[in-house]
Amino acid sequence: MKNKYVFVVVMLCVILVAGMGFTNLYVNYSEGDTSKEELTVVTSFYPMYVAAMNVVGDAPGVKLQNLSEPQTGCLHDFQLTPEDMKLLSTADVFIINGGGIEAFMEDVAKAYPNLTIVSTCEYLELLSDGDETNAHAWMSVGMYREMVQTIAMGLAKADPDNRALYEENAEIYDSKLMRLEERQQTVAEAAEGTDVILFHEAYDYVADDYGMQVSCVMDLDEERQVSAGEVSEVLRAINEDGASLILAEELYGKSMAETVQKEADVSVIYLDPLNRGDYEADSYLLGMEHNIELLEAYFVK
Amino acid sequence: MIDWTSWLDYGFMRSALFAILIITPLFGLMGTMIVNKKMAYFSDALGHSALTGIAVGVVCGMQDTSLAMVLFAIVFALLLNKIGSANTASTDTIISVFSSCSVAVGLAILSKGGNFSKYSSILVGDVLSITNREILYLVVIFGVTIVFWLVCFNWLNAVCIHRALAKSKDIPVKVMDNMFAVLVALIVMLSIKWVGILIINALLILPAASARNLSSNMREYHLFSVIFSVFSGILGLVLSYYTNVATGPMIVIIASVIYFATYWRGRKDR
């Protein structure tokens, strides 16, 4: 009879010890060096991280960290984990895109009133679809340049000692971006006025940059089910507006683009939405350059 | 070495702990009767109806969708009981029909305009989302459940063992059934936000099922069930904090380990 109680106590103790032991191992394994830094800068997601990386450069005493994983993409359905809250509690500056992409910002601002928040889209005039703001501004090179400047300004304010360095880094990065924008201009001359169909909300900014006419948008940003009505809307845009080009994202838009291609005679260009990738300082430059090349190949024959 | 107390430094972890301390004993308590009454499938269906509840709240333009969820779940539970007792088809078929119907309606409404991702957090739950008001709700339901248990448990148990006999003893069988169903609905709805639809049922069933493997009378059954439930709740919360995984699944994993250990032990005794 008493045996049973002993069993329960032993069992719970074993589970407790095993659980704590494994957790201990895991934490020790995953924790790198935690040296103290003077300024911790946290960015919300990938494009912000890459931009901030270029501005911070090798500034002394600054630790740059990204809140989400590099493959997370946009943060539309992002949930803060306890680990994220811990990271934010150590941060001095939090660089976000703004415009509503970081839906969790209200909670963060409430929990950490002293955190300096740099909203990179703050000074931009964002495109909008009805009452919904489209915040994927980094897809426009011109806007991205301003976002980089906003980051440099924000960091200079938070860390005046490195002010000169931030401004210099931003200047160097900006000159590279300027070259991209110039190249974009030559393509834009050929592309202007073309009717396009977008399979990603973010490409509104691409269309805007190149002066294209958007005849239909199907937002395939997340894994989601598409209704038949939306597909017929796309086909209507092709047949009635004479749209002959689809801008899509390879990851989420490919199967839909292939379906539409079977039904109608359209070209598809798979652009990189630049919201996921690896942590290389040049990844935005390379990704955007590749996008421009794709459009160049289509328009400038 | 890890500092095993550092998680208490954060306000959200303290609220989560508080919520778990209130809700897990209730899970253990209710679970015993759910397992006895063979209602596991019923509570699962209730969890799924949360989707519809939210959808109804969204359609009616309600700010606080948890109120819509609770109201809908109560209606849903009573309806299930009513139709289940009519004995037209076997109960599991009826529950399955209701459950899939309500999930379909919920998904249809919530996915309108491709916005379902906004609600995907409710599938796995989010321990950070507990607000003080929700904790207050939990405290109230805790009180209500304890009172209900103290007053009505013997009747409830009698109904569970033999309906006809209970009826002959002037026990209000239907009322007992309905009250119990409503109580389960309330508890499921109030904790679904941080446990998640996909696994909430496991929390109701596992501690009681584990306890059943070991216990030889009602008192032991309750004792073990509550102990297992609270233990997995607290340990799951702490471990999920350090390993950075969602809390609900962690709690269920621990509860499952307990279940398999007791299952093995229970078989050996036989």
Side-chain angles (χ1 to χ4, degrees):
Chain A
M1 190 65 196
K2 285 276 165 279
N3 227 345
K4 201 158 31 188
Y5 293 93
V6 174
F7 171 75
V8 168
V9 170
V10 170
M11 175 183 72
L12 295 187
C13 285
V14 168
I15 293 175
L16 184 73
V17 169
M20 286 170 80
F22 281 126
T23 307
N24 208 352
L25 275 179
Y26 171 81
V27 170
N28 285 342
Y29 175 75
S30 62
E31 227 170 50
D33 59 319
T34 47
S35 51
K36 286 270 171 285
E37 304 280 349
E38 285 162 32
L39 187 81
T40 304
V41 179
V42 177
T43 57
S44 61
F45 69 119
Y46 182 69
M48 300 304 110
Y49 184 84
V50 173
M53 207 171 160
N54 278 288
V55 176
V56 170
D58 50 4
V62 180
K63 188 167 76 172
L64 182 64
Q65 278 187 300
N66 197 8
L67 187 68
S68 50
E69 298 289 322
Q71 297 299 331
T72 304
C74 294
L75 296 183
H76 298 297
D77 48 353
F78 188 73
Q79 290 292 324
L80 286 174
T81 64
E83 187 87 354
D84 296 333
M85 297 290 265
K86 256 195 284 179
L87 177 60
L88 283 176
S89 72
T90 62
D92 299 298
V93 183
F94 187 31
I95 299 176
I96 62 169
N97 182 76
I101 281 200
E102 291 89 353
F104 52 81
M105 273 316 289
E106 260 180 56
D107 298 339
V108 172
K110 231 187 287 166
Y112 307 107
N114 297 324
L115 183 67
T116 308
I117 293 167
V118 178
S119 175
T120 54
C121 285
E122 201 178 342
Y123 305 109
L124 295 177
E125 220 169 281
L126 296 173
L127 297 178
S128 62
D129 171 27
D131 51 353
E132 243 181 278
T133 321
N134 182 345
H136 305 79
W138 68 89
M139 285 307 290
S140 155
V141 180
M143 291 201 172
Y144 183 70
R145 283 175 66 185
E146 285 181 45
M147 289 161 78
V148 171
Q149 295 304 329
T150 309
I151 293 176
M153 253 163 50
L155 285 178
K157 218 188 214 170
D159 181 21
D161 294 345
N162 286 323
R163 181 191 197 103
L165 193 63
Y166 294 139
E167 281 169 359
E168 193 192 323
N169 286 340
E171 201 57 42
I172 295 171
Y173 193 41
D174 189 61
S175 64
K176 292 179 193 163
L177 291 169
M178 198 170 71
R179 247 169 283 149
L180 274 185
E181 205 180 2
E182 278 162 9
R183 187 159 168 203
Q184 204 174 353
Q185 281 306 314
T186 56
V187 183
E189 279 161 27
E192 210 179 333
T194 317
D195 280 306
V196 286
I197 294 163
L198 309 179
F199 276 7
H200 195 309
E201 221 185 345
Y203 298 160
D204 257 336
Y205 285 94
V206 178
D208 195 52
D209 263 14
Y210 290 87
M212 300 176 192
Q213 296 284 336
V214 179
S215 65
C216 172
V217 180
M218 174 149 57
D219 190 19
L220 296 177
D221 190 8
E222 291 118 10
E223 293 98 334
R224 70 176 184 95
Q225 282 161 334
V226 176
S227 69
E230 284 177 277
V231 183
S232 71
E233 170 72 9
V234 170
L235 293 172
R236 186 204 57 79
I238 295 170
N239 295 329
E240 289 175 21
D241 298 354
S244 61
L245 179 63
I246 293 175
L247 301 181
E249 178 189 14
E250 190 139 24
L251 185 59
Y252 296 123
K254 188 149 191 193
S255 59
M256 183 47 61
E258 278 165 0
T259 308
V260 173
Q261 261 182 320
K262 254 180 250 164
E263 298 282 330
D265 179 28
V266 282
S267 313
V268 181
I269 297 180
Y270 293 108
L271 296 180
D272 182 355
L274 304 169
N275 58 1
R276 52 176 72 77
D278 47 27
Y279 287 152
E280 292 293 328
D282 283 342
S283 59
Y284 180 89
L285 292 170
L286 295 175
M288 192 45 108
E289 191 172 17
H290 186 64
N291 282 352
I292 295 175
E293 273 164 10
L294 288 171
L295 290 165
E296 203 170 44
Y298 181 82
F299 286 110
V300 191
K301 280 172 187 131
Chain B
M1 267 312 275
I2 317 175
D3 178 4
W4 285 106
T5 53
S6 65
W7 58 282
L8 281 170
D9 296 346
Y10 297 95
F12 64 89
M13 288 301 284
R14 283 198 297 270
S15 339
L17 175 69
F18 194 53
I20 281 181
L21 283 178
I22 298 171
I23 204 76
T24 49
L26 286 190
F27 276 145
L29 211 59
M30 300 300 269
T32 56
M33 197 42 80
I34 291 177
V35 170
N36 268 0
K37 282 173 82 102
K38 300 201 173 62
M39 281 169 68
Y41 207 30
F42 172 85
S43 54
D44 200 33
L46 267 183
H48 284 84
S49 76
L51 268 181
T52 327
I54 295 175
V56 169
V58 170
V59 167
C60 300
M62 282 162 89
Q63 280 295 314
D64 188 0
T65 45
S66 52
L67 186 62
M69 246 158 62
V70 168
L71 289 178
F72 183 79
I74 291 175
V75 173
F76 189 80
L78 292 177
L79 208 62
L80 265 183
N81 255 359
K82 175 110 187 118
I83 295 185
S85 61
N87 264 337
T88 42
S90 66
T91 324
D92 60 338
T93 310
I94 290 172
I95 292 177
S96 180
V97 168
F98 266 74
S99 161
S100 12
C101 259
S102 72
V103 169
V105 171
L107 285 179
I109 298 174
L110 293 181
S111 66
K112 192 172 169 294
N115 277 333
F116 185 69
S117 56
K118 255 201 278 183
Y119 305 98
S120 59
S121 71
I122 198 157
L123 293 178
V124 285
D126 177 9
V127 70
L128 303 179
S129 63
I130 298 180
T131 60
N132 287 340
R133 191 147 68 130
E134 277 161 347
I135 291 184
L136 188 71
Y137 290 157
L138 291 181
V139 172
V140 171
I141 190 81
F142 184 82
V144 170
T145 311
I146 298 297
V147 169
F148 176 72
W149 221 247
L150 289 177
V151 176
C152 302
F153 177 74
N154 285 337
W155 285 359
L156 202 60
N157 200 21
V159 171
C160 178
I161 292 167
H162 201 299
R163 282 184 82 89
L165 189 64
K167 223 177 221 167
S168 73
K169 294 268 177 195
D170 284 341
I171 293 172
V173 175
K174 280 234 165 74
V175 176
M176 280 298 111
D177 270 351
N178 284 340
M179 277 177 82
F180 182 70
V182 167
L183 216 49
V184 174
L186 285 175
I187 291 178
V188 167
M189 288 307 132
L190 289 179
S191 35
I192 210 154
K193 267 196 180 157
W194 53 275
V195 183
I197 288 175
L198 294 177
I199 48 176
I200 186 143
N201 203 37
L203 274 188
L204 272 172
I205 304 305
L206 279 172
S210 316
R212 216 180 146 94
N213 284 336
L214 293 179
S215 42
S216 42
N217 59 44
M218 258 307 165
R219 206 166 286 148
E220 272 184 13
Y221 186 24
H222 277 81
L223 176 72
F224 284 143
S225 180
V226 171
I227 289 177
F228 292 155
S229 183
V230 174
F231 176 84
S232 16
I234 296 175
L235 188 63
L237 176 71
V238 175
L239 293 192
S240 76
Y241 171 80
Y242 287 104
T243 52
N244 192 19
V245 299
T247 307
M250 196 52 144
I251 296 176
V252 172
I253 289 172
I254 291 166
S256 318
V257 171
I258 294 178
Y259 177 77
F260 288 118
T262 54
Y263 179 72
W264 167 78
R265 162 81 201 204
R267 281 182 65 104
K268 221 181 63 174
D269 276 359
R270 230 155 262 164

